[in-house]
Amino acid sequence: MLRLLLLLLMTTTVWGKLFAQDTLLYWPKLELGMNITQTLAGFFNSGGQGLPTDPYLFSLKIPGARSTFRTGFNARFRNREEESNTGQRLIYERDFHLRAGLEWRRTLTKKFSFYYGIDAIMRYQQEDVDFTTNGGTIELGSNSIGFGGGPLMGLMFHLSSKIMLSTESSLYGMASSGKEKDQTDPGVPPTEQKIRQFEMLPSIPNSLYVFFRF
């Protein structure tokens, strides 16, 4: 019985010390973010015209002792129908973006901090078009998948200990491959050709993120 009481006392003491620390050992702090650029553009009635679309709508960051793990993603699935004098067009779009990497932070002032890092990125895109006329249906489409990455840097403004605003720039490179489907005559089967390309995707700080720390 004495051994059991001593074991219980030691367990309780260690457990209390773990949760008395400022940082949790087993439950790290999380920073959840959302791109609010288009929301602000709509609020100020600018419509976001001329602003490039940032492919990463949601972000998650997990700060560590020396570096911060970061990831971002977005997905879009859209089906739309277009009517014209020549026929009907059905368009199916699939678009998925994912990134993951590390960032390192440096404090500038009480409210501002600077960070830099590196990301690995992935992109999948698919578009299928069925154009129906009196002569039949013409099938068009393309799909591709790409992988790449590159460096980044950004600036963060601390509204409070729980809410932050950030903007960043990056220089990603991406190699992708896929295929295109083309058809000019409904009576002739569509032809397919393979696509391989490399892109440089630089971005300037034109997107604003809001982060909530938990």
Side-chain angles (χ1 to χ4, degrees), residues 42-71:
F43 179 78
F44 290 106
N45 296 322
S46 65
Q49 296 180 357
L51 290 177
T53 302
D54 192 320
Y56 308 104
L57 180 60
F58 301 101
S59 293
L60 170 66
K61 297 184 179 183
I62 306 177
R66 296 184 177 180
S67 62
T68 296
F69 172 77
R70 50 183 272 134
T71 182

